[in-house]
Amino acid sequence: MNSFETDLSRAFTGVNFIAGFLIECMILYRFGFDSELFQISVPVLASFPYSTAWINDYQSGFLKEYLPRCGKKAYILGKFLSCGISGGSLISTACFFYLHTKGGEEETLNLLLVFLSGMLWAVVAALLAAASDSRYVAYGGSFVLYYVLIIIYERHFKTLYCLYPVEWFAPKHLWVFNDMGISLMCGGFVWICGIAYYGILEYRIEML
């Protein structure tokens, strides 16, 4: 059984992905890419598709039937990668449709940065879900962390724009290596989350 393909299919065909995508499109068409509402929606909607998949499998008992067929490593990696890819795709696909139907100043938008930012917040939500066993912590925790970073930047450390999460998908400052620098930073954060996620789920599975 290919765990990654199964998880990816579940993530993209689920109601949460469709609902999140439609909501993001509505926000973009109504308020625009530069709106505060869109910026705040990124960590919330990116976590919709698959960040709580582990909780669903664990609480339903499906995990005990599924795990022997795919193996522990494949199961964990499938969950993590599918969560990140679906979360990033939700945000970037909504932006893609918005840019190519409405146009405007946002045509210079880097969709790769949008995808990586959505991916990052999706896996942060998955990590919180694995650590807490709570859907509320998963969906709300990434938003709280996102907003805390905004407050830190706007109220205290204006020079530390690298901590400002909006900069990660809509940069206004000059970065080292330009957009590649942002990509490397987001990719590094995703990698760190992946290590932590794997460790937590490996421990939880061994305790079953």
Side-chain angles (χ1 to χ4, degrees), residues 10 16 46-59 75 79 83 122 125-130 132-140 197:
R10 289 172 62 188
N16 285 2
S47 68
F48 268 25
Y50 217 54
S51 63
T52 60
W54 150 259
I55 297 177
N56 297 334
D57 289 353
Y58 177 73
Q59 293 181 349
Y75 175 83
K79 285 286 181 290
C83 173
L127 176 60
L128 293 172
S132 67
D133 271 347
S134 171
R135 292 178 177 83
Y136 300 106
V137 173
Y139 293 134
Y197 183 82

Coordinates of all heavy atoms in Angstrom, one line a residue, residues 10 16 46-59 75 79 83 122 125-130 132-140 197:
R10 N -6.5 11.6 -0.2 CA -7.4 12.0 0.9 C -7.4 13.5 1.2 O -8.4 14.1 1.5 CB -7.1 11.2 2.2 CG -7.5 9.7 2.1 CD -6.9 9.0 3.3 NE -7.5 9.5 4.6 CZ -7.1 9.1 5.8 NH1 -6.1 8.3 5.9 NH2 -7.7 9.6 6.9
N16 N -12.6 19.5 3.5 CA -11.8 20.6 4.1 C -11.0 21.3 3.1 O -10.9 22.6 3.1 CB -10.9 20.1 5.2 CG -11.6 19.7 6.5 OD1 -12.8 19.8 6.6 ND2 -10.9 19.3 7.5
A46 N -4.5 27.1 5.4 CA -3.5 26.1 5.1 C -3.6 24.9 5.9 O -3.2 23.8 5.5 CB -2.1 26.8 5.1
S47 N -4.1 25.1 7.2 CA -4.1 23.9 8.1 C -5.4 23.1 7.9 O -5.5 22.0 8.5 CB -4.1 24.4 9.5 OG -5.3 25.2 9.8
F48 N -6.3 23.6 7.1 CA -7.6 22.9 6.9 C -7.5 21.5 6.3 O -8.1 20.5 6.8 CB -8.5 23.7 6.0 CG -9.4 24.7 6.7 CD1 -9.1 25.1 8.0 CD2 -10.6 25.1 6.2 CE1 -9.9 26.0 8.7 CE2 -11.5 26.0 6.9 CZ -11.1 26.4 8.1
P49 N -6.8 21.3 5.2 CA -6.9 20.0 4.5 C -6.5 18.8 5.2 O -7.3 17.8 5.2 CB -6.0 20.2 3.3 CG -5.9 21.7 3.1 CD -5.9 22.2 4.5
Y50 N -5.3 18.8 5.9 CA -4.8 17.5 6.4 C -4.0 17.6 7.7 O -3.4 16.6 8.1 CB -4.0 16.8 5.3 CG -4.1 15.3 5.3 CD1 -5.4 14.7 5.1 CD2 -3.0 14.5 5.3 CE1 -5.5 13.4 5.0 CE2 -3.2 13.1 5.2 CZ -4.4 12.6 5.1 OH -4.6 11.2 5.0
S51 N -4.1 18.7 8.4 CA -3.2 18.8 9.6 C -3.7 17.9 10.7 O -2.9 17.6 11.6 CB -3.2 20.3 10.0 OG -4.5 20.7 10.4
T52 N -5.0 17.6 10.8 CA -5.5 16.7 11.9 C -5.7 15.3 11.5 O -6.4 14.5 12.1 CB -6.8 17.3 12.4 OG1 -7.8 17.3 11.3 CG2 -6.6 18.7 12.9
A53 N -5.1 14.9 10.3 CA -5.3 13.5 9.9 C -4.8 12.4 10.9 O -5.5 11.4 11.0 CB -4.5 13.3 8.5
W54 N -3.7 12.7 11.6 CA -3.2 11.8 12.6 C -4.3 11.6 13.7 O -4.5 10.5 14.1 CB -1.9 12.3 13.2 CG -1.7 11.9 14.6 CD1 -1.9 12.7 15.7 CD2 -1.3 10.6 15.1 NE1 -1.6 12.0 16.9 CE2 -1.3 10.7 16.5 CE3 -1.0 9.4 14.5 CZ2 -0.9 9.6 17.3 CZ3 -0.6 8.3 15.3 CH2 -0.5 8.4 16.7
I55 N -4.9 12.7 14.1 CA -5.9 12.6 15.2 C -7.1 11.8 14.7 O -7.6 10.9 15.5 CB -6.4 14.0 15.6 CG1 -5.2 14.8 16.2 CG2 -7.5 13.9 16.6 CD1 -5.6 16.2 16.6
N56 N -7.5 12.0 13.5 CA -8.6 11.2 12.9 C -8.3 9.7 12.9 O -9.2 8.9 13.3 CB -9.0 11.7 11.5 CG -9.4 13.1 11.5 OD1 -10.0 13.6 12.5 ND2 -9.2 13.7 10.3
D57 N -7.1 9.3 12.4 CA -6.8 7.9 12.4 C -6.6 7.3 13.8 O -7.0 6.2 14.0 CB -5.4 7.8 11.6 CG -5.6 8.0 10.1 OD1 -6.7 8.2 9.7 OD2 -4.5 8.0 9.4
Y58 N -6.0 8.1 14.7 CA -5.8 7.6 16.0 C -7.1 7.4 16.8 O -7.3 6.3 17.4 CB -4.9 8.6 16.8 CG -4.6 8.2 18.2 CD1 -3.7 7.2 18.5 CD2 -5.2 8.9 19.2 CE1 -3.4 6.8 19.8 CE2 -4.9 8.6 20.6 CZ -4.0 7.6 20.8 OH -3.8 7.2 22.2
Q59 N -8.0 8.4 16.8 CA -9.2 8.3 17.6 C -10.2 7.3 17.0 O -11.0 6.8 17.7 CB -9.8 9.7 17.7 CG -9.0 10.7 18.5 CD -9.6 12.0 18.7 OE1 -10.6 12.4 18.0 NE2 -9.0 12.8 19.5
Y75 N 4.1 5.7 6.9 CA 2.8 6.3 7.4 C 3.1 7.7 7.9 O 2.4 8.7 7.5 CB 2.3 5.5 8.6 CG 1.1 6.1 9.3 CD1 -0.2 6.0 8.8 CD2 1.3 6.9 10.4 CE1 -1.2 6.6 9.4 CE2 0.2 7.5 11.0 CZ -1.1 7.3 10.5 OH -2.1 7.9 11.1
K79 N 1.8 11.2 6.0 CA 1.0 12.2 6.7 C 1.6 13.6 6.6 O 0.9 14.6 6.3 CB 0.8 11.8 8.1 CG -0.2 10.7 8.4 CD -1.6 11.1 8.1 CE -2.6 10.0 8.4 NZ -2.5 9.0 7.4
C83 N 0.2 16.7 4.2 CA -0.3 17.9 4.9 C 0.3 19.1 4.3 O -0.3 20.1 4.0 CB 0.0 17.7 6.4 SG -0.4 19.2 7.3
A122 N 0.9 24.8 7.4 CA 0.2 23.5 7.4 C 0.9 22.5 8.3 O 0.3 21.8 9.1 CB 0.0 23.0 6.0
A125 N 0.8 23.3 12.0 CA -0.5 22.9 12.5 C -0.5 21.4 12.8 O -1.0 20.9 13.8 CB -1.6 23.3 11.6
A126 N 0.1 20.6 11.8 CA 0.2 19.2 12.0 C 1.1 18.8 13.2 O 0.7 17.9 14.0 CB 0.8 18.6 10.7
L127 N 2.1 19.5 13.4 CA 3.0 19.3 14.5 C 2.3 19.6 15.9 O 2.4 18.8 16.8 CB 4.2 20.2 14.4 CG 5.2 20.2 15.6 CD1 5.8 18.7 15.8 CD2 6.4 21.1 15.4
L128 N 1.5 20.6 15.9 CA 0.7 21.0 17.1 C -0.3 19.9 17.3 O -0.6 19.6 18.5 CB 0.1 22.4 16.9 CG 1.1 23.5 16.9 CD1 0.3 24.8 16.6 CD2 1.8 23.7 18.2
A129 N -0.9 19.4 16.3 CA -2.0 18.4 16.4 C -1.3 17.1 17.0 O -1.9 16.4 17.9 CB -2.6 18.1 15.1
A130 N -0.2 16.7 16.5 CA 0.5 15.5 17.0 C 0.9 15.6 18.4 O 0.9 14.7 19.2 CB 1.7 15.2 16.1
S132 N -0.5 17.6 20.8 CA -1.6 18.0 21.7 C -2.8 17.1 21.6 O -3.6 17.0 22.5 CB -2.0 19.4 21.4 OG -2.7 19.5 20.2
D133 N -3.0 16.4 20.5 CA -4.2 15.5 20.2 C -5.4 16.4 20.2 O -6.5 16.0 20.6 CB -4.3 14.4 21.3 CG -3.6 13.2 20.9 OD1 -3.2 13.1 19.7 OD2 -3.4 12.3 21.7
S134 N -5.3 17.7 19.8 CA -6.4 18.6 19.8 C -6.6 19.3 18.5 O -5.6 19.9 18.0 CB -6.2 19.6 20.9 OG -7.2 20.7 20.8
R135 N -7.7 19.2 17.9 CA -8.0 19.9 16.7 C -8.0 21.4 16.9 O -7.6 22.1 16.0 CB -9.4 19.4 16.1 CG -9.4 18.0 15.6 CD -10.8 17.6 15.1 NE -10.8 16.2 14.6 CZ -10.9 15.2 15.4 NH1 -11.0 15.3 16.7 NH2 -10.9 14.0 14.8
Y136 N -8.5 21.8 18.0 CA -8.5 23.3 18.3 C -7.1 23.8 18.4 O -6.9 24.9 17.9 CB -9.3 23.5 19.6 CG -10.7 23.0 19.6 CD1 -11.0 21.9 20.3 CD2 -11.7 23.6 18.9 CE1 -12.4 21.4 20.3 CE2 -13.0 23.2 18.8 CZ -13.3 22.1 19.6 OH -14.6 21.6 19.5
V137 N -6.2 23.1 19.0 CA -4.8 23.6 19.1 C -4.2 23.6 17.7 O -3.4 24.5 17.3 CB -4.0 22.7 20.0 CG1 -2.5 23.1 20.0 CG2 -4.5 22.8 21.4
A138 N -4.5 22.6 16.9 CA -4.0 22.5 15.5 C -4.4 23.7 14.7 O -3.6 24.4 14.0 CB -4.4 21.2 14.9
Y139 N -5.7 23.9 14.6 CA -6.2 25.0 13.8 C -5.9 26.4 14.3 O -5.7 27.3 13.6 CB -7.7 24.9 13.6 CG -8.1 23.6 12.8 CD1 -9.2 22.8 13.3 CD2 -7.5 23.3 11.7 CE1 -9.6 21.7 12.6 CE2 -7.9 22.2 11.0 CZ -8.9 21.4 11.4 OH -9.3 20.2 10.7
G140 N -6.0 26.5 15.7 CA -5.7 27.8 16.3 C -4.3 28.2 16.6 O -3.9 29.3 16.6
Y197 N 7.9 16.3 14.1 CA 6.7 15.6 13.8 C 7.0 14.1 13.8 O 6.3 13.3 14.4 CB 6.1 16.1 12.5 CG 4.8 15.4 12.1 CD1 3.6 15.9 12.6 CD2 4.8 14.4 11.2 CE1 2.4 15.4 12.2 CE2 3.6 13.8 10.8 CZ 2.4 14.3 11.4 OH 1.2 13.7 11.0

